[in-house]
């Protein structure tokens, strides 16, 4: 994690009035979607307003969308979303599970980087929406002497509404720096062998604890409007490839695994099939025992702990399903941290070898 008190000295041969400069290091900044500061109304409203005002997420014209958002949606939605967050909230730490898990991932990544690079690398995390903001963390890394920053959106798959908007926030933060560091962003890792292997191992471990093997594994990815695919967003294709590679790594048949999409919002047609509808259809087809995994999420969050474990599970059970198993995200599992660390090391080549 970031050392808030970096050692700073004046450059050699500098005059006494020259400002001190921190020791030069490399920053690794992990980024996740974000979280409200609390599940009560106003923190939820601030968070949802920032999220749903992002043109990468909702690209309707502002003159049409903002009145609807501010006057109608945000008067009601914070109550429902707040109740959902309250049901999964980490009350011991006073934060959402996403915050807890991302911090744990960062601490383990920092330990892995110390083993390789000693004190040359600082690892920290930020959120695209809410706190800690991308801007605040970029400022802190620069103040700590990071002349180079590797930005790591924690999304295996590229999408305009996830990876791209995270990168946008990072680049905007760099624009405000007087002494701008060199910068890199990581590529999507949806098809990297170590990531696929980590997913497969999580499935194998979960299945080994069950009395009966599920009839099918549902790979539920966060959805997006179908229109985005038509506009050239590669997310849908990358999700399909992850499912195929996972199936091949597990040695399964096509009928053992399926790709679906969740979290539909608004009146548009989204990527299909919809998870909440498809699990009900599976139950009606006689597949009474299913497992669900969410490969597009690097950490468990509201969409997995509440939406999958509650709404989607209820849909399955109401349609006659019997056993519903949710396989947690990779979170801070050793195999996940190892895969992420390997990706970071690849991207640091040339800066640190």
């Amino acid at each position: 994690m970031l050392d808030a008190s970096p050692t700073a000295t004046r450059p050699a041969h500098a005059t006494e009035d020259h400002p001190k400069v921190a020791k030069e290091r490399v920053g690794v900044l992990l980024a996740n979607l974000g979280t409200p500061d609390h599940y009560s109304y106003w923190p939820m409203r601030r968070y949802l307003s920032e999220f749903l005002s992002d043109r990468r997420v909702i690209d309707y014209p502002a003159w049409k969308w903002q009145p609807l958002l501010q006057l109608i949606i945000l008067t009601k939605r914070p109550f429902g979303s707040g109740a959902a967050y309250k049901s999964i909230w980490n009350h011991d730490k006073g934060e959402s599970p996403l915050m807890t898990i991302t911090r744990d991932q960062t601490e383990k990544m920092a330990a892995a980087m110390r083993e390789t690079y000693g004190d040359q690398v600082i690892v920290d995390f930020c959120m695209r929406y809410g706190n800690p903001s991308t801007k605040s963390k970029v400022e802190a890394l620069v103040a700590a002497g990071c002349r180079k920053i590797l930005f790591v959106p924690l999304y295996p798959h590229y999408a305009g509404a996830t990876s791209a908007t995270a990168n946008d926030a990072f680049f905007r933060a760099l624009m405000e720096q007087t002494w701008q560091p060199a910068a890199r962003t990581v590529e999507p890792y949806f098809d990297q062998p170590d990531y696929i292997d980590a997913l497969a191992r999580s499935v194998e471990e979960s299945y080994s604890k069950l009395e009966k093997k599920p009839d099918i594994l549902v790979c539920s990815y966060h959805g997006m409007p179908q229109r985005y695919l038509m506009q050239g967003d590669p997310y849908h294709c990358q999700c399909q490839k992850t499912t195929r590679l996972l199936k091949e790594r597990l040695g399964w048949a096509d009928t053992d695994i399926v790709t679906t999409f969740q979290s539909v919002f608004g009146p548009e047609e989204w990527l299909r099939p919809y998870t909440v509808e498809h699990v009900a259809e599976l139950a009606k087809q006689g597949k009474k025992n299913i497992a669900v995994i969410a490969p597009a999420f690097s950490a468990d969050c509201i969409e997995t702990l509440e939406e999958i474990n509650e709404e989607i599970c209820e849909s399955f059970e109401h349609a006659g399903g019997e056993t519903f198993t949710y396989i947690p995200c990779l979170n801070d599992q050793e195999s996940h941290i190892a895969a992420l660390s390997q990706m970071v090391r690849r991207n640091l080549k040339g800066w640190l070898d």
Side-chain angles (χ1 to χ4, degrees), residues 204-232:
E204 291 167 341
E205 290 171 8
S206 295
Y207 274 37
S208 70
K209 299 174 184 176
L210 301 176
E211 292 184 4
K212 181 179 180 181
K213 180 182 176 180
D215 300 318
I216 194 168
L217 174 65
V218 177
C219 292
S220 181
Y221 298 86
H222 198 289
M224 68 163 53
Q226 178 77 14
R227 173 169 54 88
Y228 291 9
L229 170 62
M230 297 299 101
Q231 291 172 347

Side-chain angles (χ1 to χ4, degrees), residues 117-301:
Y117 304 111
D119 66 351
Q120 297 181 82
V121 173
I122 301 175
V123 181
D124 208 346
F125 76 93
C126 66
M127 297 294 181
R128 172 60 184 90
Y129 313 104
N131 298 305
S133 69
T134 305
K135 177 182 176 182
S136 69
K137 290 299 185 174
V138 167
E139 290 174 348
L141 287 172
V142 171
C146 294
R147 302 303 323 136
K148 302 178 180 69
I149 299 178
L150 176 66
F151 189 65
V152 186
L154 290 172
Y155 307 110
H157 311 79
Y158 175 91
T162 54
S163 307
T165 190
N167 289 337
D168 290 345
F170 176 55
F171 296 137
R172 281 195 294 268
L174 292 178
M175 289 172 63
E176 299 188 23
Q177 294 304 309
T178 300
W179 188 359
Q180 194 178 66
R184 292 176 179 172
T185 62
V186 300
E187 70 281 7
Y189 55 96
F190 65 95
D191 59 353
Q192 292 299 304
D194 43 7
Y195 162 69
I196 296 297
D197 187 63
L199 280 179
R201 288 166 63 182
S202 73
V203 173
E204 291 167 341
E205 290 171 8
S206 295
Y207 274 37
S208 70
K209 299 174 184 176
L210 301 176
E211 292 184 4
K212 181 179 180 181
K213 180 182 176 180
D215 300 318
I216 194 168
L217 174 65
V218 177
C219 292
S220 181
Y221 298 86
H222 198 289
M224 68 163 53
Q226 178 77 14
R227 173 169 54 88
Y228 291 9
L229 170 62
M230 297 299 101
Q231 291 172 347
D233 194 301
Y235 176 74
H236 175 266
C237 299
Q238 293 181 359
C239 293
Q240 295 286 359
K241 186 173 183 180
T242 293
T243 299
R244 176 175 62 79
L245 292 175
L246 177 58
K247 178 201 69 175
E248 292 172 356
R249 161 60 178 79
L250 291 167
W252 288 0
D254 291 345
T255 52
D256 293 330
I257 192 168
V258 65
T259 295
T260 63
F261 298 91
Q262 64 182 82
S263 309
V264 176
F265 174 80
E268 284 192 76
E269 179 76 3
W270 280 45
L271 298 177
R272 285 185 178 270
Y274 299 156
T275 305
V276 69
E277 295 177 357
H278 196 70
V279 296
E281 185 61 30
L282 289 173
K284 293 173 183 177
Q285 293 172 0
K287 297 186 184 299
K288 303 295 185 180
N289 305 289
I290 68 170
V292 179
I293 191 171
F297 298 91
S298 64
D300 276 307
C301 54

